[in-house]
Amino acid sequence: MDRKHIVVCTEIKNSSWRWISHHFSDSYQWSFCRVRNSSNGLLVIIFRLMASLNAVIKARRADVIVSHGPYMAFYCALFIWMFRLKTPHISYSFNFAELPSGVALKRMKLLFKRVNCFVVSSDMERALYSEYFDIPIEQIDFVRWGVAEPDFNLQASILDKPYISTVGGNARDYKTFMAAMAELPDITAIAVMRPGNLVGLDVPKNVTVLVNISRDEALSVIKHSVLTVLPLMGSETPCGHVTIVVAMYLGVPCVVTDSSGVSDYVTDNETGMLCEPNSLDKMKQAITHLRADEMLGTKLAENAEIFVRENCSEKSYVFHFKSFINRVCINEK
C-alpha cells in the first residue's frame, strides 16, 4: 500500500500539536504548516497567507490537504485555485462567530466551491452555512467536537473560596452574565475572556476578570470552579463547543444558553442546565439552582462525562477523516 501524504494547515502555533496523526499508522506521512504568532491584524493576515501558501505548495505532491478554521480554508482554497491544484481539500473546525458580509462574503462564496468537504461541530451549522455560502449541504458534515481529554498543568486556585466560572470569547453574552452576578452578591465568579469582551462591560465586585492568560491557567479556572456558565448571544449561536467539551471532561457542571448551536451537546437537566437567551432572571435562576443543589451538579457532571467520552473523543474525527480519505482515493482511481 502506498504511503499517503497529509498536509495540515492550522493556526495552532504549538509545534507539539499533531491533531489526530498519532491515531494513524506509519503508512501516513504528515506535514504541518502553522501560522506564526502575532497580535497585529495585518501581520495575522500575512502569516495566514504564508502558511496557506506553504501548505498548498507541499500539497502538490500530497494526497489530501486539511485546513483548520474558516479563514485557513479560504486562503488554502485561494492558492489551490491559483495553482490549479487537484489535491482534495477538507476543512475542519469550520465555524464563524460572526458571518462575513460584502466583498468578503462574495470571495468566500467563490472559493469555498473549491473545497471538497467542510466539517462543522453542530448540526444546525450545516443548513446555516449551506444557505449562506451557497455550499451544497451534502458537502458539509456534522461531527461533534472531538478532542482528547485535556492534558495540562493544574495551577493553584487563585481564590480560597468556592466560585463559579465563565470562559471564552466568541459570541458571549457577558452583559447578561455580569448583570446576573450583580444581583447575586453572595456568589463569587471568575471570568476568563478576551480584552475585547470587556469593552463597555460593567463588572460587579464579586467577579474577577482575567485576560490574556495561558491555556493551563484557563483550564485550571474551570477545574477549580463548582460550575461553569456559557452565556451565548442568542438562540442560534454556533459557538461554545470547545468550552462545553472541556468542562465535561473536567467534571464541572454547566449552565448554558439554550441555543440550537449547542443542542447536540447539552440536554437540559441531563448533561447540563439550559437557560433562556438574554434573560437576566432565567440566568440567575439557573445559577442559584445549580449552585445550591450539589446532588444535581454531581448528576449533571457524571452524565456529561459519560457523554463526552462516548461522543466527543478524537476517534470521531479519526473515523470521519479515514472515510474521507477512502472516498477521495476511490474517486481518483
Side-chain angles (χ1 to χ4, degrees):
M1 184 177 178
D2 294 336
R3 194 180 193 200
K4 299 197 181 302
H5 184 194
I6 314 298
V7 177
V8 180
C9 188
T10 177
E11 294 194 68
I12 296 178
K13 285 80 175 176
N14 185 354
S15 61
S16 66
W17 183 83
R18 303 278 299 174
W19 192 39
I20 55 175
S21 62
H22 57 286
H23 291 280
F24 289 74
S25 67
D26 291 339
S27 61
Y28 290 83
Q29 174 189 346
W30 296 77
S31 299
F32 286 81
C33 301
R34 305 176 190 276
V35 177
R36 291 172 58 185
N37 192 29
S38 176
S39 58
N40 182 290
L42 179 58
L43 284 178
V44 168
I45 295 174
I46 293 172
F47 291 153
R48 283 173 173 169
L49 284 165
M50 291 173 59
S52 301
L53 175 60
N54 188 25
V56 171
I57 290 173
K58 290 178 182 291
R60 297 171 74 178
R61 294 179 176 82
D63 294 278
V64 174
I65 180 170
V66 179
S67 58
H68 283 267
Y71 295 101
M72 304 317 296
F74 173 73
Y75 291 123
C76 284
L78 171 64
F79 289 117
I80 287 172
W81 169 72
M82 290 176 63
F83 293 137
R84 300 297 188 266
L85 205 65
K86 301 298 183 182
T87 306
H89 176 197
I90 182 170
S91 172
Y92 282 87
S93 306
F94 191 76
N95 171 266
F96 286 87
E98 294 184 18
L99 290 168
S101 59
V103 175
L105 175 59
K106 291 180 180 178
R107 290 172 177 171
M108 286 184 172
K109 280 185 175 182
L110 178 65
L111 289 171
F112 284 163
K113 295 181 186 300
R114 300 182 176 274
V115 180
N116 298 77
C117 182
F118 301 86
V119 182
V120 297
S121 297
S122 64
D123 192 46
M124 64 84 70
E125 289 175 285
R126 295 185 71 234
L128 173 65
Y129 299 144
S130 174
E131 180 179 357
Y132 199 78
F133 294 106
D134 294 332
I135 301 169
I137 197 166
E138 59 269 17
Q139 289 179 219
I140 306 176
D141 293 343
F142 160 51
V143 182
R144 286 188 179 90
W145 185 256
V147 292
E149 181 176 356
D151 181 17
F152 66 105
N153 293 318
L154 183 63
Q155 311 291 304
S157 177
I158 66 171
L159 297 180
D160 57 2
K161 58 183 177 180
Y163 66 87
I164 70 173
S165 64
T166 184
V167 175
N170 287 338
R172 297 302 199 263
D173 180 17
Y174 283 130
K175 180 179 179 180
T176 299
F177 175 78
M178 293 299 177
M181 292 306 300
E183 297 187 13
L184 298 171
D186 294 332
I187 297 179
T188 301
I190 297 179
V192 179
M193 60 181 69
R194 299 169 185 165
N197 296 121
L198 275 170
V199 177
L201 196 64
D202 292 326
V203 181
K205 294 181 179 180
N206 54 329
V207 179
T208 299
V209 174
L210 304 176
V211 297
N212 296 329
I213 65 174
S214 69
R215 173 180 177 272
D216 286 358
E217 290 172 313
L219 293 182
S220 297
V221 167
I222 297 175
K223 180 63 179 177
H224 288 303
S225 63
V226 294
L227 67 92
T228 194
V229 181
L230 179 63
L232 297 172
M233 293 299 294
S235 61
E236 297 182 352
T237 303
C239 295
H241 310 115
V242 177
T243 304
I244 291 172
V245 169
V246 164
M248 287 178 167
Y249 267 123
L250 297 180
V252 178
C254 302
V255 170
V256 181
T257 298
D258 190 0
S259 166
S260 57
V262 297
S263 61
D264 300 297
Y265 301 81
V266 180
T267 301
D268 194 28
N269 284 314
E270 289 187 24
T271 57
M273 179 171 287
L274 297 174
C275 66
E276 185 179 319
N278 315 121
S279 173
L280 168 61
D281 290 337
K282 295 299 182 182
M283 183 168 287
K284 281 173 51 183
Q285 290 174 19
I287 292 172
T288 54
H289 184 186
L290 190 54
R291 179 73 180 82
D293 194 337
E294 293 185 10
M295 290 183 62
L296 175 60
T298 299
K299 184 193 83 168
L300 297 183
E302 291 176 348
N303 290 344
E305 188 170 0
I306 293 171
F307 170 84
V308 77
R309 293 185 184 280
E310 290 181 350
N311 298 281
C312 302
S313 70
E314 287 182 331
K315 66 182 180 182
S316 299
Y317 282 159
V318 172
F319 178 81
H320 180 272
F321 189 51
K322 284 183 176 179
S323 298
F324 176 77
I325 291 174
N326 292 335
R327 184 166 74 248
V328 297
C329 286
I330 290 173
N331 290 340
E332 288 178 347
K333 292 180 179 178

